Amino acid sequence: MENAKPLLRLLWISPVVLALGLAWALWSGRVRIPETWNPWAPLRIDAPVNLLTRFKLDRASGDRDACQAALAQARMVLVPVDDRVTGEHCGFSNAVRIERTSVDVGSDFTLSCRAALSLAMWERHVLQQAAQENLGARVVRIEHLGSYACRNLYGEQGRRRSQHATADALDVAGFVLDDGRRVRVLKDWGSPSAIEPSAVGARAPAEAGPGEARFLRAVHEGACGYFDVVLGPDYNRAHEDHFHFDRGAARVCR
């Protein structure tokens, strides 16, 4: 039994050594793998989404220069904004003023780089695909309710600051399509029972209810992969007319 201990120890150590060796080989460039599957490669907005996408997004979000470099790939018209403090626990750093994304946005708005990067990823990999699949059209405009605001949650005294207070949040109220249709969260969200297949006589997803409702649920769910907090009408009445997207410490998809 004593003779078996060194062998068991070797069996336990070997995978660790191999893993460390592989990590070093990848980091040093001695072993090359496609950028998409290289965890140390920079985030590419147009790259196919895989298991490393969120890791790369979070890593870029936490580094000022890396975030700016990634955001430079986005199909956005934006202007860097100077860091500023506008009140107690209010203000922003590494932020941009967005005049247009891949679509029209109406009035411009200010977002932190990390929130803007999440917005770019969501538009690239979720928004248009959901519109084509559920509505047979393209989104040409996002209707928003603003981003930066020095306020508490729900604007109530005694609550902690909202993510809007650091330009880490954007509220989206609706979308305009290239065929002229207007899809609004307040009007078109619908009840889950109206679009979800029932347990008896379940219908195919394509027949599960109004295309507008399916589209809104698709873009809401898809946002959860790129933002930290995604809230909509099913969360509470305060969000019955818009989606709240933000980057922060919490992780909520409701």
Side-chain angles (χ1 to χ4, degrees):
M1 195 68 181
E2 289 295 326
N3 293 333
K5 288 184 178 180
L7 179 59
L8 291 174
R9 189 177 299 114
L10 180 62
L11 291 174
W12 181 84
I13 292 175
S14 295
V16 176
V17 173
L18 288 172
L20 291 173
L22 179 59
W24 176 83
L26 292 173
W27 177 81
S28 66
R30 292 179 178 272
V31 173
R32 295 189 179 276
I33 59 175
E35 263 201 3
T36 304
W37 290 103
N38 184 349
W40 286 278
L43 176 72
R44 303 294 181 193
I45 291 177
D46 286 337
V49 175
N50 62 24
L51 295 175
L52 293 176
T53 300
R54 182 66 200 220
F55 169 78
K56 291 183 178 183
L57 173 61
D58 289 342
R59 191 181 62 181
S61 298
D63 182 283
R64 187 183 187 99
D65 293 337
C67 188
Q68 292 176 355
L71 191 59
Q73 307 166 37
R75 300 167 190 175
M76 289 182 170
V77 178
L78 52 81
V79 179
V81 179
D82 291 338
D83 296 355
R84 66 187 66 172
V85 175
T86 61
E88 186 177 1
H89 303 300
C90 286
F92 43 78
S93 62
N94 198 22
V96 295
R97 186 176 73 252
I98 296 175
E99 300 173 357
R100 178 184 174 84
T101 61
S102 62
V103 299
D104 181 32
V105 296
S107 58
D108 56 11
F109 55 90
T110 298
L111 278 181
S112 65
C113 182
R114 63 177 183 168
L117 188 54
S118 290
L119 179 63
M121 293 289 290
W122 171 73
E123 285 193 7
R124 174 63 181 84
H125 298 286
V126 176
L127 182 63
Q128 299 298 354
Q129 293 87 330
Q132 288 287 352
E133 290 173 7
N134 295 287
L135 300 169
R138 288 185 58 81
V139 173
V140 295
R141 180 172 181 166
I142 291 175
E143 298 181 325
H144 67 87
L145 302 179
S147 54
Y148 175 72
C150 181
R151 64 173 175 81
N152 294 345
L153 288 171
Y154 307 112
E156 298 176 358
Q157 289 187 346
R159 287 183 175 266
R160 64 176 175 81
R161 287 299 197 199
S162 164
Q163 291 302 115
H164 285 283
T166 51
D168 281 309
L170 175 69
D171 290 339
V172 175
F175 308 87
V176 177
L177 308 178
D178 60 1
D179 59 11
R181 279 180 290 173
R182 189 179 181 213
V183 183
R184 301 283 290 173
V185 175
L186 180 62
K187 176 175 66 74
D188 298 308
W189 178 257
S191 63
S193 61
I195 66 168
E196 293 177 358
S198 61
V200 179
R203 295 173 294 174
E207 304 170 347
E212 289 81 1
R214 295 197 309 272
F215 162 72
L216 288 175
R217 278 169 167 75
V219 296
H220 173 278
E221 181 179 356
C224 298
Y226 302 103
F227 291 90
D228 298 316
V229 173
V230 176
L231 305 176
D234 289 345
Y235 181 61
N236 60 19
R237 291 195 64 180
H239 295 86
E240 66 179 354
D241 64 346
H242 70 276
F243 296 146
H244 170 93
F245 299 156
D246 84 42
R247 295 298 309 275
R251 292 298 297 270
V252 181
C253 180
R254 294 280 298 279

Coordinates of all heavy atoms in Angstrom, one line a residue, residues 173-245:
A173 N -37.5 51.3 -24.9 CA -39.0 51.3 -24.9 C -39.6 50.6 -26.2 O -40.8 50.2 -26.1 CB -39.6 52.7 -24.8
G174 N -38.9 50.6 -27.3 CA -39.5 50.1 -28.5 C -38.5 50.1 -29.7 O -37.4 50.5 -29.5
F175 N -39.1 49.7 -30.8 CA -38.3 49.5 -32.0 C -39.1 49.9 -33.2 O -40.3 49.7 -33.2 CB -37.8 48.1 -32.2 CG -37.1 47.5 -31.0 CD1 -37.9 46.9 -29.9 CD2 -35.7 47.6 -30.8 CE1 -37.2 46.4 -28.8 CE2 -35.1 47.1 -29.7 CZ -35.8 46.5 -28.7
V176 N -38.5 50.4 -34.2 CA -39.1 50.7 -35.5 C -38.5 49.9 -36.6 O -37.3 49.7 -36.6 CB -39.0 52.2 -35.9 CG1 -39.6 52.5 -37.3 CG2 -39.6 53.1 -34.8
L177 N -39.3 49.2 -37.4 CA -38.9 48.3 -38.4 C -38.8 49.0 -39.8 O -39.4 50.0 -40.0 CB -39.8 47.1 -38.5 CG -40.1 46.4 -37.1 CD1 -41.1 45.2 -37.4 CD2 -38.8 45.9 -36.5
D178 N -38.1 48.3 -40.7 CA -37.9 48.9 -42.0 C -39.2 48.9 -42.9 O -39.2 49.5 -43.9 CB -36.7 48.2 -42.8 CG -37.0 46.7 -43.0 OD1 -38.1 46.2 -42.6 OD2 -36.1 46.0 -43.5
D179 N -40.2 48.2 -42.4 CA -41.5 48.3 -43.1 C -42.5 49.2 -42.5 O -43.6 49.3 -42.8 CB -42.1 46.9 -43.2 CG -42.4 46.3 -41.8 OD1 -42.3 47.0 -40.8 OD2 -42.7 45.0 -41.8
G180 N -42.0 50.0 -41.5 CA -42.8 51.1 -40.9 C -43.5 50.6 -39.6 O -44.0 51.5 -38.9
R181 N -43.5 49.3 -39.3 CA -44.1 48.9 -38.1 C -43.3 49.4 -36.9 O -42.1 49.6 -36.9 CB -44.2 47.4 -38.0 CG -45.3 46.8 -38.8 CD -45.3 45.3 -38.7 NE -44.2 44.7 -39.4 CZ -43.9 43.4 -39.4 NH1 -44.6 42.6 -38.6 NH2 -42.9 42.9 -40.1
R182 N -44.1 49.7 -35.8 CA -43.5 50.1 -34.5 C -43.8 49.1 -33.4 O -45.0 48.8 -33.2 CB -44.1 51.5 -34.2 CG -43.4 52.2 -33.0 CD -44.0 53.5 -32.8 NE -43.4 54.3 -31.7 CZ -44.1 55.1 -30.9 NH1 -45.4 55.3 -31.1 NH2 -43.4 55.7 -29.9
V183 N -42.8 48.5 -32.8 CA -43.0 47.6 -31.8 C -42.7 48.2 -30.4 O -41.6 48.7 -30.2 CB -42.1 46.3 -32.0 CG1 -42.4 45.3 -30.9 CG2 -42.4 45.7 -33.4
R184 N -43.7 48.2 -29.5 CA -43.5 48.9 -28.2 C -43.6 47.9 -27.1 O -44.5 47.0 -27.1 CB -44.6 49.9 -28.0 CG -44.6 51.0 -29.1 CD -43.5 52.0 -28.9 NE -43.8 52.8 -27.7 CZ -42.9 53.7 -27.1 NH1 -41.7 53.8 -27.7 NH2 -43.2 54.4 -26.1
V185 N -42.8 48.0 -26.1 CA -42.8 47.1 -25.0 C -44.1 47.1 -24.3 O -44.7 46.1 -23.9 CB -41.6 47.4 -24.0 CG1 -41.8 46.5 -22.7 CG2 -40.3 47.2 -24.7
L186 N -44.6 48.3 -24.0 CA -45.9 48.5 -23.3 C -47.1 47.9 -24.0 O -47.9 47.2 -23.4 CB -46.2 50.0 -23.1 CG -47.5 50.3 -22.3 CD1 -47.5 49.8 -20.9 CD2 -47.7 51.9 -22.3
K187 N -47.1 48.0 -25.3 CA -48.3 47.5 -26.1 C -48.1 46.1 -26.6 O -49.1 45.4 -26.6 CB -48.4 48.5 -27.3 CG -49.5 48.0 -28.3 CD -49.7 49.1 -29.4 CE -48.5 49.1 -30.3 NZ -48.4 48.0 -31.2
D188 N -46.9 45.7 -26.8 CA -46.8 44.4 -27.6 C -46.1 43.3 -26.7 O -46.0 42.1 -27.2 CB -45.9 44.6 -28.8 CG -46.5 45.6 -29.8 OD1 -47.7 45.3 -30.1 OD2 -45.9 46.5 -30.2
W189 N -45.8 43.5 -25.5 CA -45.2 42.4 -24.7 C -46.1 41.3 -24.5 O -45.7 40.1 -24.7 CB -44.7 43.0 -23.3 CG -44.1 42.0 -22.4 CD1 -44.7 41.4 -21.3 CD2 -42.8 41.4 -22.5 NE1 -43.8 40.5 -20.7 CE2 -42.7 40.5 -21.4 CE3 -41.7 41.6 -23.3 CZ2 -41.5 39.8 -21.2 CZ3 -40.5 40.9 -23.1 CH2 -40.4 40.0 -22.0
G190 N -47.4 41.5 -24.2 CA -48.4 40.5 -24.0 C -48.1 39.6 -22.8 O -47.1 39.7 -22.1
S191 N -49.1 38.8 -22.5 CA -48.9 37.8 -21.4 C -48.2 36.6 -21.9 O -48.4 36.1 -23.0 CB -50.3 37.5 -20.8 OG -51.1 36.8 -21.8
P192 N -47.5 35.9 -21.0 CA -46.8 34.7 -21.4 C -47.7 33.6 -21.9 O -47.4 32.9 -22.8 CB -46.1 34.2 -20.1 CG -46.0 35.5 -19.3 CD -47.2 36.3 -19.6
S193 N -48.9 33.5 -21.4 CA -49.9 32.5 -21.8 C -50.3 32.7 -23.2 O -50.8 31.8 -23.9 CB -51.1 32.5 -20.9 OG -51.8 33.8 -20.9
A194 N -50.2 34.0 -23.7 CA -50.6 34.3 -25.1 C -49.6 33.8 -26.1 O -50.0 33.7 -27.3 CB -50.9 35.8 -25.2
I195 N -48.4 33.6 -25.7 CA -47.4 33.2 -26.7 C -46.6 31.9 -26.4 O -45.9 31.4 -27.3 CB -46.3 34.3 -26.9 CG1 -45.5 34.5 -25.6 CG2 -47.0 35.6 -27.2 CD1 -44.3 35.4 -25.7
E196 N -46.8 31.3 -25.2 CA -46.1 30.1 -24.9 C -47.0 28.9 -25.2 O -48.2 28.9 -24.8 CB -45.7 30.1 -23.4 CG -44.6 31.2 -23.2 CD -44.2 31.3 -21.7 OE1 -44.8 30.5 -20.9 OE2 -43.3 32.1 -21.3
P197 N -46.4 27.8 -25.7 CA -47.2 26.6 -25.9 C -47.8 26.1 -24.6 O -47.1 26.1 -23.6 CB -46.2 25.6 -26.6 CG -45.1 26.5 -27.1 CD -45.0 27.7 -26.2
S198 N -49.0 25.6 -24.7 CA -49.6 25.0 -23.5 C -49.2 23.6 -23.3 O -48.6 23.0 -24.2 CB -51.1 25.1 -23.6 OG -51.6 24.4 -24.7
A199 N -49.4 23.0 -22.1 CA -49.0 21.6 -21.9 C -49.8 20.7 -22.7 O -49.3 19.6 -23.1 CB -49.2 21.3 -20.4
V200 N -51.0 21.0 -23.0 CA -51.9 20.2 -23.9 C -52.0 20.9 -25.2 O -52.4 22.1 -25.3 CB -53.2 20.0 -23.2 CG1 -54.1 19.1 -24.1 CG2 -53.1 19.4 -21.8
G201 N -51.8 20.1 -26.3 CA -52.0 20.7 -27.6 C -51.0 21.8 -27.9 O -51.3 22.8 -28.4
A202 N -49.7 21.6 -27.5 CA -48.7 22.6 -27.6 C -48.5 22.9 -29.1 O -48.5 22.0 -29.9 CB -47.4 22.1 -27.0
R203 N -48.3 24.2 -29.4 CA -48.1 24.6 -30.7 C -46.6 24.9 -31.0 O -45.8 25.1 -30.0 CB -48.8 25.9 -31.0 CG -50.3 25.8 -31.0 CD -51.0 27.1 -31.1 NE -50.8 27.9 -29.9 CZ -51.2 29.2 -29.8 NH1 -51.8 29.8 -30.8 NH2 -50.9 29.9 -28.7
A204 N -46.2 24.9 -32.2 CA -44.8 25.1 -32.6 C -44.5 26.6 -32.2 O -45.4 27.4 -32.2 CB -44.5 24.9 -34.1
P205 N -43.2 26.9 -31.9 CA -42.9 28.3 -31.6 C -43.3 29.3 -32.6 O -43.7 30.4 -32.2 CB -41.3 28.2 -31.4 CG -41.0 26.8 -31.1 CD -42.1 26.0 -31.8
A206 N -43.2 29.0 -33.8 CA -43.6 30.0 -34.9 C -45.1 30.3 -34.8 O -45.5 31.3 -35.4 CB -43.2 29.4 -36.3
E207 N -45.9 29.4 -34.2 CA -47.3 29.6 -34.1 C -47.8 30.0 -32.7 O -49.0 30.0 -32.4 CB -48.0 28.3 -34.5 CG -47.6 27.8 -35.9 CD -48.2 26.4 -36.1 OE1 -48.6 25.7 -35.2 OE2 -48.1 26.0 -37.3
A208 N -46.8 30.3 -31.9 CA -47.1 30.5 -30.5 C -47.7 31.8 -30.1 O -47.8 32.1 -28.9 CB -45.9 30.2 -29.6
G209 N -48.0 32.7 -31.0 CA -48.6 34.0 -30.7 C -48.1 35.1 -31.6 O -47.3 34.8 -32.6
P210 N -48.4 36.3 -31.3 CA -48.0 37.5 -32.1 C -46.5 37.6 -32.3 O -45.8 37.4 -31.3 CB -48.6 38.7 -31.3 CG -49.7 38.1 -30.5 CD -49.2 36.7 -30.1
G211 N -46.1 37.9 -33.5 CA -44.7 38.0 -33.8 C -44.0 39.1 -33.0 O -42.9 38.9 -32.6
E212 N -44.8 40.2 -32.7 CA -44.2 41.2 -31.9 C -43.8 40.8 -30.5 O -42.8 41.1 -30.0 CB -45.2 42.4 -31.9 CG -45.4 43.2 -33.2 CD -46.3 42.5 -34.1 OE1 -46.9 41.4 -33.8 OE2 -46.5 43.0 -35.2
A213 N -44.7 40.0 -29.9 CA -44.4 39.5 -28.5 C -43.3 38.5 -28.5 O -42.4 38.6 -27.7 CB -45.7 38.8 -28.0
R214 N -43.2 37.7 -29.5 CA -42.1 36.7 -29.6 C -40.8 37.5 -29.8 O -39.7 37.1 -29.3 CB -42.3 35.7 -30.7 CG -43.5 34.8 -30.5 CD -43.4 33.5 -31.4 NE -43.2 33.9 -32.8 CZ -44.2 34.1 -33.7 NH1 -45.5 34.1 -33.2 NH2 -43.9 34.4 -34.9
F215 N -40.8 38.5 -30.7 CA -39.6 39.3 -30.9 C -39.1 40.0 -29.7 O -37.9 39.9 -29.3 CB -39.9 40.4 -32.0 CG -39.0 41.5 -32.0 CD1 -37.7 41.3 -32.5 CD2 -39.3 42.8 -31.6 CE1 -36.8 42.4 -32.6 CE2 -38.4 43.8 -31.6 CZ -37.1 43.6 -32.1
L216 N -40.1 40.6 -28.9 CA -39.7 41.3 -27.7 C -39.1 40.3 -26.7 O -38.1 40.6 -26.0 CB -40.9 42.0 -27.1 CG -41.3 43.2 -27.8 CD1 -42.6 43.8 -27.2 CD2 -40.2 44.3 -27.9
R217 N -39.6 39.1 -26.6 CA -39.1 38.2 -25.6 C -37.7 37.6 -26.1 O -36.8 37.4 -25.3 CB -40.1 37.0 -25.4 CG -41.1 37.4 -24.4 CD -42.3 36.4 -24.4 NE -43.1 36.6 -23.2 CZ -44.0 37.7 -23.0 NH1 -44.1 38.5 -24.0 NH2 -44.7 37.8 -21.9
A218 N -37.5 37.6 -27.4 CA -36.2 37.1 -27.9 C -35.1 38.1 -27.6 O -34.0 37.8 -27.2 CB -36.3 36.8 -29.4
V219 N -35.4 39.4 -27.8 CA -34.4 40.4 -27.6 C -34.1 40.6 -26.1 O -33.0 40.9 -25.7 CB -34.7 41.8 -28.3 CG1 -34.8 41.6 -29.8 CG2 -36.0 42.4 -27.8
H220 N -35.2 40.4 -25.3 CA -35.0 40.5 -23.9 C -34.2 39.4 -23.4 O -33.2 39.6 -22.6 CB -36.4 40.4 -23.2 CG -36.4 40.4 -21.7 ND1 -36.2 39.1 -21.0 CD2 -36.6 41.3 -20.7 CE1 -36.3 39.4 -19.7 NE2 -36.5 40.6 -19.5
E221 N -34.5 38.1 -23.8 CA -33.7 37.0 -23.3 C -32.3 37.0 -23.9 O -31.3 36.7 -23.2 CB -34.4 35.7 -23.8 CG -33.7 34.4 -23.3 CD -34.4 33.2 -23.8 OE1 -35.5 33.3 -24.3 OE2 -33.8 32.1 -23.6
G222 N -32.1 37.5 -25.1 CA -30.8 37.6 -25.7 C -29.9 38.6 -25.0 O -28.7 38.4 -24.9
A223 N -30.5 39.6 -24.5 CA -29.7 40.6 -23.8 C -29.1 40.1 -22.5 O -28.0 40.6 -22.1 CB -30.6 41.8 -23.4
C224 N -29.7 39.1 -21.9 CA -29.1 38.5 -20.7 C -27.8 37.9 -20.9 O -27.0 37.7 -19.9 CB -30.1 37.4 -20.2 SG -31.7 38.1 -19.7
G225 N -27.4 37.6 -22.1 CA -26.1 37.1 -22.4 C -25.0 38.1 -22.5 O -23.8 37.8 -22.4
Y226 N -25.4 39.4 -22.5 CA -24.4 40.5 -22.7 C -24.4 41.5 -21.6 O -23.4 42.2 -21.4 CB -24.6 41.1 -24.1 CG -24.5 40.1 -25.2 CD1 -25.6 39.6 -25.9 CD2 -23.2 39.6 -25.6 CE1 -25.4 38.6 -26.9 CE2 -23.1 38.6 -26.6 CZ -24.2 38.1 -27.2 OH -24.1 37.2 -28.2
F227 N -25.6 41.7 -21.0 CA -25.7 42.6 -19.9 C -25.8 41.8 -18.6 O -26.0 40.6 -18.6 CB -27.0 43.5 -20.0 CG -26.9 44.5 -21.2 CD1 -27.4 44.1 -22.4 CD2 -26.4 45.7 -21.0 CE1 -27.3 45.0 -23.5 CE2 -26.3 46.6 -22.1 CZ -26.8 46.2 -23.3
D228 N -25.6 42.5 -17.5 CA -25.6 41.9 -16.2 C -27.0 41.9 -15.6 O -27.4 40.9 -14.9 CB -24.6 42.6 -15.2 CG -23.2 42.5 -15.7 OD1 -22.8 41.4 -16.1 OD2 -22.5 43.5 -15.6
V229 N -27.7 42.9 -15.8 CA -29.1 43.0 -15.3 C -30.0 43.3 -16.5 O -29.8 44.3 -17.2 CB -29.3 44.0 -14.2 CG1 -30.8 44.2 -13.9 CG2 -28.5 43.6 -13.0
V230 N -31.0 42.5 -16.7 CA -32.0 42.8 -17.8 C -33.4 42.6 -17.1 O -33.8 41.6 -16.6 CB -31.9 41.7 -18.9 CG1 -33.0 41.9 -20.0 CG2 -30.5 41.9 -19.6
L231 N -34.2 43.7 -17.1 CA -35.5 43.7 -16.5 C -36.5 44.1 -17.5 O -36.3 45.0 -18.4 CB -35.5 44.7 -15.3 CG -34.4 44.5 -14.3 CD1 -34.6 45.6 -13.2 CD2 -34.6 43.1 -13.6
G232 N -37.7 43.6 -17.4 CA -38.8 43.9 -18.3 C -40.1 43.9 -17.6 O -40.2 43.9 -16.4
P233 N -41.2 43.9 -18.4 CA -42.6 43.9 -17.8 C -42.9 42.9 -16.8 O -43.7 43.1 -15.9 CB -43.5 43.9 -19.0 CG -42.7 44.4 -20.1 CD -41.3 43.9 -19.9
D234 N -42.3 41.7 -16.9 CA -42.6 40.6 -16.0 C -41.9 40.8 -14.6 O -42.2 40.1 -13.7 CB -42.2 39.2 -16.5 CG -43.1 38.8 -17.7 OD1 -44.2 39.4 -17.8 OD2 -42.8 37.9 -18.4
Y235 N -41.0 41.8 -14.5 CA -40.3 42.1 -13.3 C -41.2 42.8 -12.3 O -41.4 42.4 -11.2 CB -39.0 42.8 -13.6 CG -38.2 43.1 -12.3 CD1 -37.7 42.0 -11.5 CD2 -37.9 44.4 -11.9 CE1 -37.0 42.3 -10.4 CE2 -37.1 44.6 -10.8 CZ -36.7 43.6 -10.0 OH -36.0 43.8 -8.9
N236 N -41.6 44.0 -12.7 CA -42.6 44.8 -11.9 C -43.2 45.9 -12.8 O -42.9 46.1 -13.9 CB -41.9 45.4 -10.7 CG -40.7 46.4 -11.1 OD1 -40.6 46.8 -12.2 ND2 -39.8 46.6 -10.1
R237 N -44.2 46.6 -12.2 CA -44.9 47.6 -12.9 C -44.0 48.7 -13.4 O -44.4 49.4 -14.4 CB -46.1 48.1 -12.1 CG -47.2 47.0 -11.9 CD -48.5 47.7 -11.4 NE -49.0 48.6 -12.4 CZ -50.2 49.2 -12.2 NH1 -50.8 49.1 -11.1 NH2 -50.6 50.0 -13.2
A238 N -43.0 49.0 -12.6 CA -42.1 50.1 -13.0 C -41.4 49.9 -14.4 O -41.0 50.8 -15.0 CB -41.0 50.3 -12.0
H239 N -41.4 48.6 -14.8 CA -40.8 48.3 -16.1 C -41.8 47.8 -17.1 O -41.4 47.1 -18.1 CB -39.7 47.2 -15.9 CG -38.5 47.7 -15.0 ND1 -38.5 47.6 -13.7 CD2 -37.3 48.2 -15.4 CE1 -37.4 48.1 -13.2 NE2 -36.7 48.5 -14.2
E240 N -43.0 48.1 -16.9 CA -44.1 47.6 -17.9 C -43.9 48.2 -19.3 O -44.5 47.7 -20.2 CB -45.5 47.9 -17.3 CG -45.8 49.3 -17.2 CD -47.2 49.5 -16.6 OE1 -47.9 48.5 -16.5 OE2 -47.6 50.7 -16.4
D241 N -43.2 49.4 -19.3 CA -43.2 50.0 -20.7 C -41.8 50.1 -21.3 O -41.5 50.7 -22.3 CB -43.7 51.5 -20.5 CG -42.9 52.4 -19.6 OD1 -42.0 51.8 -18.9 OD2 -43.0 53.6 -19.7
H242 N -40.8 49.3 -20.6 CA -39.5 49.4 -21.2 C -38.6 48.2 -20.7 O -39.0 47.5 -19.7 CB -38.8 50.7 -20.8 CG -38.4 50.8 -19.4 ND1 -39.3 51.3 -18.4 CD2 -37.3 50.6 -18.7 CE1 -38.7 51.3 -17.3 NE2 -37.5 50.9 -17.4
F243 N -37.5 48.0 -21.4 CA -36.5 47.0 -20.9 C -35.4 47.9 -20.2 O -35.0 48.9 -20.8 CB -35.9 46.3 -22.1 CG -36.8 45.3 -22.8 CD1 -36.7 45.1 -24.2 CD2 -37.8 44.7 -22.1 CE1 -37.5 44.3 -24.8 CE2 -38.7 43.8 -22.8 CZ -38.5 43.6 -24.2
H244 N -34.9 47.4 -19.1 CA -33.7 48.0 -18.5 C -32.5 47.1 -18.7 O -32.6 45.9 -18.3 CB -34.0 48.2 -17.0 CG -32.8 48.6 -16.2 ND1 -32.5 49.9 -15.9 CD2 -31.8 47.8 -15.6 CE1 -31.4 49.9 -15.2 NE2 -31.0 48.7 -15.0
F245 N -31.5 47.6 -19.3 CA -30.3 46.9 -19.6 C -29.2 47.6 -18.8 O -29.0 48.8 -18.9 CB -29.9 46.9 -21.0 CG -30.9 46.2 -22.0 CD1 -30.9 46.6 -23.3 CD2 -31.8 45.3 -21.6 CE1 -31.7 46.0 -24.2 CE2 -32.7 44.7 -22.4 CZ -32.7 45.0 -23.8

